[in-house]
Amino acid sequence: MPQARQIIHVDMDAFYASVEQLDHPELRGKAVIVGGDPKSRGVVSAASYEARKFGVHSAMPTAQALRLCPHAVLLPVRMERYAEVSHAIHAIFERYTPLVEPISLDEAFLDVTDSTNLFGTAEQIGRAIKKEIKGQTHLTASVGIAPNKFLAKLASDLKKPDGFVAVTEQNKQQVLDPLGVGRIWGVGKVTEKALRDRGIRTIGELRRRTPGELKDIVGNTAGELLRLARGEDDRQVEPDRQCKSLSSEQTFAADISDETVLLSVLLQQVEEVAQRLRRRQLKAKTITLKLRYGDFRTVTRSETLSEPTHLTKPLWETAERVFRRWQSRSAGALRLLGFGASGLEPEHAGQQSLFANPDRERLKRLDQAMDKIRDRYGKRAVHRGTSTDPHDP
């Protein structure tokens, strides 16, 4: 009989804000918001647990966050620093298994099924990883252990921050049944309300319904919801060891349909990825938007540029065009928005850019100047706007 899968989900606690508190000890125990300038429609990228107590959450307009928590310390995003810490954390993962699926800078799935002969049980590996992360980075992680990805991710979220929860085949229904149906992947606010209106409030209540009953409420997703309610999930951990793309994505605490907020988030992501491309001396041929609705349905929309580039202006113009095309055809409230650049090649490979040389050089100098200013004074020191000319600071 094949060995039962052992999956670990590691999720860093308030990662960006925790790194800032680590680098600025005077901020420990204080409300910290990492995000954009409130005067230019900036949004919150992360909030410490001290700020979350006041209702602050990611993707909230920074101005609103500061009204809720006026004593909070607002800091700019320092993506290179977070990536540096993330690299150290992922190096710890790879000491225990080559099967690591990064989800973002601050979370990943690990398949440790074949590692237990070397390092002990999955729980022992999970505790060792938590201890090493704490020892090397002085940050806390929440860890979930389970036979599959759905249960592992759910487990890591149950006792945040600094949590450790193991779900087994034997106790999974004991863990799942009392939880609200909103904990199930694919159950957004609309679906949750539809279920609640029919008297289905918990996973246990959902699990006891027949496929026919559920199909009347949620349509063709009934079978998948029942499988998840039973703790069944056969998706594999999918490691990607080769850097084929650079991306940035944000999961929102509440679904967002406001165009201004979504475009502001997207612009920040484009600027971040463009700067990372320039630092790595790479350029990209294709951009991709990742759009996840409140019901967890995920779509991607891509466009290939006529010439590879790392300049912010063409990347942003293409991203905005793809976003507005999606919006005109199938807009909806988003749970997650992401931007990625792929088709990477060395900066000096092939033909140079899709602009005439004078335009390209001007845009290159603009990006270089903004990179220097932001590196020295932080991301709030200079910004682009989405409502006028998006490539002007």
Side-chain angles (χ1 to χ4, degrees):
M1 176 180 289
Q3 185 177 359
R5 282 197 302 164
Q6 298 293 316
I7 308 299
I8 297 177
H9 182 257
V10 182
D11 192 2
M12 301 302 297
D13 299 322
F15 184 53
Y16 294 2
S18 295
V19 172
E20 296 298 342
Q21 290 175 321
L22 175 68
D23 290 351
H24 303 92
E26 70 277 8
L27 298 180
R28 293 174 189 171
K30 295 183 178 180
V32 173
I33 297 172
V34 178
D37 189 342
K39 295 179 181 178
S40 60
R41 298 191 306 279
V43 295
V44 174
S45 295
S48 69
Y49 285 96
E50 295 84 358
R52 295 183 189 187
K53 293 176 182 177
F54 292 85
V56 178
H57 58 74
S58 63
M60 173 182 285
T62 308
Q64 180 184 352
L66 291 175
R67 287 194 296 271
L68 291 172
C69 189
H71 61 283
V73 177
L74 176 63
L75 297 172
V77 176
R78 294 190 298 149
M79 194 56 62
E80 291 299 317
R81 172 59 175 149
Y82 311 144
E84 176 188 356
V85 178
S86 175
H87 180 76
I89 293 167
H90 282 257
I92 293 172
F93 299 159
E94 290 175 0
R95 289 203 285 270
Y96 290 91
T97 175
L99 300 178
V100 178
E101 180 181 344
I103 305 302
S104 62
L105 288 179
D106 60 339
E107 66 173 311
F109 287 106
L110 292 72
D111 187 332
V112 297
T113 307
D114 295 330
S115 303
T116 54
N117 291 332
L118 288 174
F119 301 108
T121 66
E123 289 193 34
Q124 289 173 324
I125 294 172
R127 292 193 184 279
I129 288 172
K130 264 180 72 77
K131 184 177 180 180
E132 286 197 43
I133 290 173
K134 181 69 172 179
Q136 291 190 29
T137 71
H138 306 288
L139 301 174
T140 62
S142 290
V143 170
I145 299 172
N148 59 57
K149 292 169 76 172
F150 166 61
L151 290 175
K153 183 168 176 60
L154 182 145
S156 70
D157 194 47
L158 288 178
K159 293 187 178 180
K160 275 184 148 302
D162 202 17
F164 187 93
V165 175
V167 177
T168 66
E169 288 291 344
Q170 290 71 37
N171 74 358
K172 65 182 182 182
Q173 293 307 153
Q174 181 182 350
V175 173
L176 285 171
D177 284 356
L179 299 177
V181 289
R183 291 277 194 169
I184 298 180
W185 280 343
V187 177
K189 289 184 177 180
V190 174
T191 304
E192 183 176 10
K193 183 179 185 303
L195 291 168
R196 285 179 171 272
D197 288 346
R198 300 287 286 272
I200 303 173
R201 293 175 172 79
T202 68
I203 293 177
E205 291 170 341
L206 186 149
R207 181 171 62 87
R208 288 186 282 271
R209 296 299 182 101
T210 67
E213 289 176 310
L214 286 179
K215 191 170 183 179
D216 289 340
I217 306 171
V218 299
N220 293 331
T221 63
E224 179 63 17
L225 292 185
L226 275 174
R227 284 190 290 274
L228 292 175
R230 295 192 294 263
E232 299 171 3
D233 176 22
D234 58 4
R235 293 170 308 133
Q236 302 293 313
V237 170
E238 299 178 355
D240 185 359
R241 308 190 124 235
Q242 191 172 15
C243 180
K244 300 176 182 177
S245 64
L246 292 175
S247 63
S248 175
E249 63 182 45
Q250 175 127 15
T251 300
F252 307 132
D255 297 347
I256 293 177
S257 58
D258 186 287
E259 174 189 304
T260 301
V261 173
L262 291 174
L263 282 173
S264 294
V265 171
L266 180 60
L267 178 57
Q268 289 181 7
Q269 293 172 342
V270 172
E271 290 185 314
E272 174 199 326
V273 170
Q275 187 172 21
R276 288 163 61 192
L277 286 169
R278 292 190 290 272
R279 284 182 173 170
R280 298 188 186 196
Q281 297 183 322
L282 296 170
K283 38 186 192 178
K285 178 75 171 176
T286 301
I287 70 98
T288 301
L289 268 59
K290 180 178 178 182
L291 308 123
R292 178 170 296 158
Y293 295 95
D295 61 2
F296 282 87
R297 182 167 51 95
T298 303
V299 298
T300 58
R301 296 291 182 265
S302 300
E303 184 170 318
T304 297
L305 290 80
S306 59
E307 294 286 349
T309 187
H310 55 31
L311 298 175
T312 303
K313 178 179 185 288
L315 292 172
W316 163 245
E317 288 180 338
T318 308
E320 184 184 24
R321 182 166 59 249
V322 172
F323 176 90
R324 293 195 183 281
R325 189 184 305 138
W326 161 80
Q327 187 182 50
S328 68
R329 297 174 181 174
S330 52
L334 295 182
R335 180 185 183 89
L336 175 147
L337 176 61
F339 171 81
S342 58
L344 305 185
E345 63 180 52
E347 181 178 16
H348 299 295
Q351 298 292 320
Q352 294 296 309
S353 193
L354 73 166
F355 294 96
N357 281 338
D359 288 339
R360 176 169 51 81
E361 290 305 314
R362 178 178 62 84
L363 293 172
K364 183 177 179 180
R365 289 194 300 270
L366 175 61
D367 280 338
Q368 289 173 339
M370 293 187 72
D371 288 348
K372 288 179 181 179
I373 294 171
R374 288 152 67 95
D375 285 343
R376 183 169 183 180
Y377 299 107
K379 293 184 182 292
R380 287 182 294 165
V382 61
H383 62 87
R384 293 168 168 87
T386 59
S387 62
T388 54
D389 190 357
H391 62 274
D392 286 338

